[in-house]
Amino acid sequence: MDARIREHAEIIADHSTGIESGDNVVIQLPAEAEDLAVALHEICGDRGANPVYLNYSKRAQRAFKRSSEEFTEPDHRLALYREADVFVIARGGSNATEDADVDPETNAAYNRAMEDVKRTRLSKTWCLTQYPTASHAQLAGMSTEAYEDFVWDAVSLDWDAQREFQAEMVEILDGADEVRITSGEETDLTLDISGNSTLNDYGEANLPGGEVFTAPVRDGVDGEVHFDLPLYRYGREIDGVRLRFEDGEVVSHSAERNEDLLTGILDTDEGSRRLGELGIGMNRQIDRFTYNMLFDEKMGDTVHMAVGSAYPETVGEGNEINESAEHVDMIVDMSEDSVIEVDGEVVQRNGTFAFEDGF
């Protein structure tokens, strides 16, 4: 076994989740990540934790979605999640676009049925990570070896130092009332964040980490945004997304590619037409776009916003939590002709923060 896989497992167990004696641990990985599962099971055994291994298959999930006429909440899965203390989930698999031919309305119906399952999982200690596979290397336009280096270098960051760097941006956003994001000629968006909290993601729930994020007030988003970097969702590329917000709600939208899929996401439920997250990428180790949101949203010189559910921890007392079966992140490149203002003060210009040299 590659020594970096054991290191990856140790970072998950020690830094990200704190697995300890008596914990019920759900390990949900694709078959290609069996070595990571083995390493995690060894750690669970050493510590007296109780692992359950779910072999996640996009191919099997695709078959279920395409053959089902309706979806109901799976009580047995919900029971497992309620009894669990820790979740470890890894992306990977042999085909990154396996579910590309599932109808958007089917995906929306499936997500609605799984909403309680998702909410229960998010209420526990969890870590979402990536296992480097050939399919994701191909998606990123990299050799398998180069992609392995990329993933494990990003995972093995000095997370204490990263936390301290990001804490400077947390301090700026905490207690602020308004964020304005401008980029090029097509993005000018104002977000009310008053009363909400900013979280510092340094490799715990997401591994790799490397962002700070908060939630906009549910009715407090106005303006237009052009997400100029593409994303993969349900095995299909969505590119050139443009959204216009009024009083927090998407009132018009378009995409240059797979607009029908974007429409299906926005039509999932009432909350999917509102923003649940504003995130600012701060991980300089992630220096290239790879069509993998777990990494791409953390890149320095980017911001991302998610339509759909908000993380309850980011929503302050007295503010309404945006709830949705969806949570879809989309990215704006902030490296050129771009500014972030907080309460009227410029805090980032062309990707450089006010507390960095060269601002």
Side-chain angles (χ1 to χ4, degrees):
M1 184 185 296
D2 191 318
R4 295 174 297 179
I5 297 174
R6 294 193 184 278
E7 182 182 8
H8 191 174
E10 289 167 359
I11 293 170
I12 292 170
D14 293 333
H15 174 75
S16 301
T17 63
I19 292 173
E20 58 187 24
S21 178
D23 280 346
N24 293 327
V25 182
V26 176
I27 299 169
Q28 182 175 308
L29 310 180
E32 290 76 8
E34 185 180 19
D35 278 354
L36 181 59
V38 169
L40 286 167
H41 277 70
E42 288 176 344
I43 290 172
C44 286
D46 288 342
R47 299 184 183 186
N50 308 306
V52 171
Y53 182 25
L54 303 182
N55 190 342
Y56 176 72
S57 166
K58 270 194 174 183
R59 185 181 175 201
Q61 187 181 65
R62 169 190 174 273
F64 176 63
K65 288 181 179 179
R66 284 173 58 90
S67 63
S68 297
E69 295 183 0
E70 62 180 332
F71 304 100
T72 58
E73 181 178 272
D75 290 340
H76 59 306
R77 186 173 178 184
L78 187 57
L80 171 66
Y81 280 31
R82 283 174 174 160
E83 293 299 319
D85 300 301
V86 175
F87 289 89
V88 178
I89 303 171
R91 294 175 176 172
S94 59
N95 183 355
T97 61
E98 183 66 60
D99 52 357
D101 55 358
V102 177
D103 186 82
E105 293 183 3
T106 300
N107 281 319
Y110 178 82
N111 286 339
R112 286 193 294 269
M114 296 294 171
E115 191 166 3
D116 282 347
V117 170
K118 184 180 96 171
R119 189 180 295 113
T120 301
R121 176 176 62 79
L122 291 175
S123 72
K124 306 299 180 74
T125 299
W126 57 275
C127 175
L128 171 65
T129 191
Q130 175 74 37
Y131 189 82
T133 58
S135 65
H136 280 82
Q138 186 175 30
L139 199 64
M142 302 170 69
S143 69
T144 302
E145 182 179 356
Y147 188 68
E148 289 174 347
D149 292 342
F150 170 79
V151 169
W152 283 319
D153 285 350
V155 164
S156 302
L157 210 60
D158 182 340
W159 292 114
D160 288 336
Q162 188 69 26
R163 181 186 64 241
E164 292 177 10
F165 171 57
Q166 294 174 183
E168 300 196 59
M169 193 64 205
V170 173
E171 186 176 351
I172 290 171
L173 290 171
D174 257 355
D177 293 322
E178 183 180 276
V179 177
R180 183 184 179 194
I181 296 169
T182 58
S183 182
E185 298 180 356
E186 295 187 84
T187 294
D188 190 343
L189 195 69
T190 301
L191 305 95
D192 180 0
I193 62 168
S194 55
N196 285 346
S197 300
T198 305
L199 299 189
N200 189 341
D201 171 16
Y202 50 93
E204 293 182 307
N206 281 343
L207 185 65
E211 63 169 302
V212 301
F213 63 100
T214 187
V217 172
R218 197 168 182 272
D219 299 328
V221 182
D222 290 280
E224 298 180 342
V225 56
H226 173 210
F227 296 102
D228 48 2
L229 291 177
L231 67 145
Y232 260 86
R233 189 71 173 178
Y234 304 122
R236 296 164 64 190
E237 182 185 16
I238 308 176
D239 195 11
V241 173
R242 292 170 173 82
L243 304 178
R244 185 163 68 87
F245 290 86
E246 291 181 4
D247 297 326
E249 185 176 10
V250 175
V251 295
S252 66
H253 70 276
S254 65
E256 295 168 12
R257 185 174 186 183
N258 285 320
E259 186 175 313
D260 65 321
L261 180 54
L262 175 64
T263 300
I265 290 167
L266 295 174
D267 287 346
T268 298
D269 49 41
E270 200 276 335
S272 59
R273 285 189 169 266
R274 298 179 183 272
L275 285 186
E277 179 188 358
L278 166 66
I280 300 174
M282 300 185 67
N283 189 335
R284 303 294 191 198
Q285 183 66 41
I286 302 172
D287 58 0
R288 61 181 294 164
F289 180 76
T290 61
Y291 283 101
N292 184 337
M293 193 59 69
L294 183 61
F295 290 79
D296 297 339
E297 69 175 5
K298 313 298 191 325
M299 286 191 297
D301 305 351
T302 66
V303 299
H304 59 277
M305 303 167 215
V307 292
S309 60
Y311 295 105
E313 302 93 330
T314 63
V315 180
E317 186 176 353
N319 285 342
E320 185 179 358
I321 299 174
N322 192 54
E323 295 184 346
S324 173
E326 283 286 9
H327 181 96
V328 180
D329 295 290
M330 293 175 277
I331 301 174
V332 180
D333 182 352
M334 299 291 289
S335 61
E336 295 181 2
D337 194 21
S338 301
V339 168
I340 300 175
E341 297 177 42
V342 177
D343 290 342
E345 182 178 349
V346 176
V347 300
Q348 188 198 75
R349 180 179 286 112
N350 298 334
T352 302
F353 294 100
F355 47 82
E356 289 183 297
D357 293 338
F359 180 73

